[in-house]
Amino acid sequence: MTLFENFTVNNIALYVFLLAGSPVRLVNSDNRCSGRVEVYHDAQWGTVCDDGWDLMDADVVCRQLGCGAARSAVVSTAFGQGSGPIWLDHVSCSGNESSISDCRHPGFGVHNCQHGEDAGVICDCNFEGEVRLADGGNSSCSGRVEIFHSGQWGAVCDDHWDLMDAEVVCRQLGCGRVLSAPQVAHFGQGTGPIWLDDVFCRGSESKRLLWCFSKMSSSLQAGSPVRLVNSDNRCSGRVEVYHDAQWGTVCDDGWDLMDADVVCRQLGCGAARSALTNAAQGQGSGPIWLDDVSCSGNESSITDCRQPGFGVHNCQHAEDAGVICGLEGEVRLTDGGDSSCSGRVEIFHSGQWGAVCDDHWDLMDAEVVCRQLGCGRVLSAPQVGHFGQGTGPIWLDDVFCRGSESKLSDCVHIGFGTHDCHHGEDAGVVCEGKCF
């Protein structure tokens, strides 16, 4: 089978999947999580009629957009009348569907409606276990810790609050490594409920403060927090481990890619690209906690690997170990000005950022990028190097997404590095932005 024939087969399969779950957006509102519901079908956006429209249907739309639970199912064009086709009518969802078009309905374009009956939704946009930092001044990465539970924001008590707990909050918010863990209402007193107390985190919980322990357990000893310092990004640097209320380094005796891989995975940074030795990321200070580390590669924490014990070493800080991790499949938007949610699309592969060619680039592809970055719904999918020409490899070409994939690399494409493009064809996206 030729590449073209194979691509045609994939293209047909793609069309079938498109029918199974179409992209959705909310329009005519001041935020991305409320508005008139529109569905993308047959290369065109269209509305949904409000016949039978209820909270169960609205809930599916809100979850599809990553906007939490539905607060209201809006009828009678509360968000204004749309134009163009009315794609869906008499929608009936059980609440478990992943896409509004997976719910029961008589078929695309089958309706007895006018645009005076266009349906809308208002989503909560807050998620169980989400955290935020309040009253931190101009910084979104410092402030009083609040957590969302049972439909309400509440505070976290500072009993036993320490750097390990704060480390998890920083990671959950994408705010890099922790600098301090202030107590006694340093950022002012909150109001409402106090949801958590006696929080005990290892520091290695991947993304949720709620995943930490609420009381001491033997599991706390299963893995110590780790961080990478003295670098310009959170996924490379000198390795430091938190033990006995203090950060310390790891000696490079026997340090290899298998050990580095465990550190990278523990931090959610993908696979290791390099295991650095001889204090390549600068010399640390304080204790040297680990030496002669030997990992099989399956451990969830660097301290789960074989090693002679905390503080047992024959090293100096000139032997501090480091790592460089690779975020395989991650995407970023560059040269988009002040917005982190618009720009030229770049994807990380084989240790290097590269561009995406705009052949067949459309709103469905851009929709996946916006979702992967947590940037809300897609507004446009610019082509022909709209955000400037990139440099380095062109990793993807002829991308075909259903619009429901969680990562761009999950979409159909002809293979990394296979293309017939130049950087004048670099693809871009413009997303609406973060929720609210």
Side-chain angles (χ1 to χ4, degrees):
M1 181 177 287
T2 67
L3 179 63
F4 176 78
E5 289 169 335
N6 186 48
F7 199 67
T8 302
V9 170
N10 285 335
N11 215 0
I12 293 170
L14 176 69
Y15 179 75
V16 172
F17 280 119
L18 276 171
L19 295 179
S22 299
V24 66
R25 68 182 183 184
L26 302 178
V27 301
N28 211 29
S29 169
D30 61 358
N31 70 77
R32 77 171 187 89
C33 287
S34 64
R36 182 176 65 247
V37 180
E38 295 193 349
V39 173
Y40 192 78
H41 174 69
D42 199 19
Q44 193 173 4
W45 288 100
T47 62
V48 176
C49 183
D50 65 8
D51 291 342
W53 188 250
D54 62 17
L55 204 61
M56 202 88 83
D57 308 323
D59 208 43
V60 172
V61 171
C62 292
R63 283 191 292 102
Q64 184 175 354
L65 290 170
C67 286
R71 285 167 46 197
S72 181
V74 180
V75 297
S76 302
T77 63
F79 288 102
Q81 296 187 27
S83 59
I86 297 174
W87 281 134
L88 297 179
D89 188 18
H90 294 294
V91 175
S92 178
C93 302
S94 68
N96 298 318
E97 297 86 354
S98 59
S99 166
I100 188 67
S101 56
D102 293 338
C103 300
R104 285 192 296 124
H105 59 83
F108 282 102
V110 180
H111 67 88
N112 60 349
C113 305
Q114 298 175 330
H115 282 296
E117 301 169 78
D118 286 344
V121 302
I122 299 174
C123 308
D124 197 352
C125 200
N126 293 318
F127 307 89
E128 185 70 19
E130 185 178 352
V131 295
R132 69 181 183 186
L133 301 177
D135 296 335
N138 294 326
S139 172
S140 61
C141 287
S142 63
R144 182 178 61 254
V145 179
E146 296 186 347
I147 189 165
F148 193 79
H149 173 64
S150 293
Q152 192 174 5
W153 289 99
V156 177
C157 183
D158 67 3
D159 292 340
H160 305 293
W161 186 254
D162 61 15
L163 282 171
M164 288 184 284
D165 310 321
E167 178 102 353
V168 175
V169 172
C170 291
R171 184 179 301 116
Q172 184 171 350
L173 291 171
C175 283
R177 65 176 182 265
V178 65
L179 299 180
S180 64
Q183 301 180 359
V184 293
H186 177 84
F187 291 101
Q189 297 184 27
T191 58
I194 297 173
W195 284 133
L196 295 181
D197 188 21
D198 291 317
V199 176
F200 286 91
C201 301
R202 296 189 309 232
S204 57
E205 291 81 359
S206 62
K207 283 193 174 179
R208 291 285 166 187
L209 186 63
L210 277 182
W211 293 349
C212 298
F213 298 88
S214 59
K215 59 183 179 180
M216 186 67 71
S217 79
S218 59
S219 296
L220 282 170
Q221 308 305 320
S224 298
V226 66
R227 68 182 184 184
L228 302 178
V229 301
N230 210 30
S231 169
D232 61 356
N233 70 80
R234 75 174 188 88
C235 288
S236 65
R238 181 176 66 248
V239 180
E240 295 194 348
V241 173
Y242 193 78
H243 174 71
D244 199 19
Q246 194 173 3
W247 289 99
T249 62
V250 177
C251 182
D252 65 8
D253 292 343
W255 187 251
D256 60 20
L257 204 61
M258 201 87 84
D259 309 323
D261 208 45
V262 171
V263 171
C264 291
R265 283 192 291 101
Q266 183 175 354
L267 290 171
C269 286
R273 286 166 49 198
S274 182
L276 304 176
T277 59
N278 299 319
Q281 298 282 3
Q283 296 186 29
S285 58
I288 297 173
W289 281 134
L290 298 180
D291 188 19
D292 294 311
V293 175
S294 178
C295 302
S296 67
N298 298 318
E299 297 84 356
S300 58
S301 167
I302 189 66
T303 53
D304 293 337
C305 300
R306 283 192 297 123
Q307 36 94 8
F310 283 103
V312 180
H313 68 88
N314 59 349
C315 305
Q316 299 175 329
H317 281 297
E319 301 169 78
D320 285 344
V323 302
I324 298 175
C325 308
L327 296 170
E328 185 69 23
E330 288 288 310
V331 293
R332 68 181 183 185
L333 301 178
T334 61
D335 295 336
D338 294 333
S339 173
S340 62
C341 288
S342 64
R344 182 177 62 254
V345 180
E346 296 188 347
I347 188 166
F348 195 85
H349 175 67
S350 292
Q352 193 173 3
W353 289 100
V356 177
C357 183
D358 65 7
D359 292 342
H360 305 293
W361 187 253
D362 61 16
L363 283 170
M364 287 183 284
D365 309 322
E367 177 104 353
V368 174
V369 173
C370 292
R371 181 181 302 114
Q372 185 172 350
L373 291 171
C375 282
R377 66 176 184 260
V378 63
L379 298 181
S380 63
Q383 301 180 359
V384 293
H386 178 83
F387 291 102
Q389 297 186 27
T391 58
I394 296 174
W395 282 134
L396 294 181
D397 187 19
D398 292 316
V399 176
F400 284 90
C401 301
R402 302 187 310 238
S404 57
E405 295 86 352
S406 60
K407 295 177 64 178
L408 185 63
S409 57
D410 292 338
C411 298
V412 176
H413 58 85
I414 55 176
F416 280 98
T418 304
H419 66 88
D420 58 352
C421 306
H422 54 80
H423 281 294
E425 301 171 78
D426 286 349
V429 304
V430 178
C431 311
E432 187 175 43
K434 307 290 183 180
C435 182
F436 294 98

